[in-house]
Amino acid sequence: MKNYKPYKGFYDLRNYELPKKIFSKLWKIQNMLFHMQERYDYFKKWHPGQWAKAKQLSAEYQRILFNYPRRIEE
């Protein structure tokens, strides 16, 4: 978790009270979604099925994340 750096356009996972296991899983999802977002044209043209699944995964990612409270800033 100490090596985590949020991607531009993604939620900062450090701002949520996440168990380590959930943090790790959401971080991996962020990595994959960021990779696909950077190659948007490629996935839309050549892998539309994967692109559609990534959109579903993104929605599920947000649903999981929003089940946890935000940290109160000091």
Side-chain angles (χ1 to χ4, degrees):
M1 290 176 33
K2 64 182 177 181
N3 294 328
Y4 173 76
K5 292 180 183 146
Y7 294 110
K8 183 178 179 183
F10 286 80
Y11 293 100
D12 187 339
L13 298 176
R14 298 172 295 186
N15 293 337
Y16 292 85
E17 295 181 20
L18 300 169
K20 288 182 182 183
K21 189 173 183 178
I22 299 296
F23 186 101
S24 179
K25 286 182 180 187
L26 293 180
W27 187 3
K28 287 178 184 179
I29 292 170
Q30 271 190 357
N31 283 331
M32 193 233 12
L33 292 174
F34 183 75
H35 168 80
M36 291 182 78
Q37 182 181 14
E38 285 189 314
R39 293 151 186 87
Y40 170 83
D41 293 331
Y42 171 80
F43 281 99
K44 284 287 282 186
K45 183 175 182 177
W46 300 105
H47 298 285
Q50 282 185 321
W51 184 254
K53 287 183 181 184
K55 290 192 297 185
Q56 292 173 344
L57 180 61
S58 178
E60 181 67 11
Y61 157 86
Q62 286 187 20
R63 186 192 65 74
I64 292 168
L65 181 62
F66 295 156
N67 278 324
Y68 292 92
R70 286 185 62 99
R71 294 187 187 276
I72 299 172
E73 295 184 28
E74 298 176 12

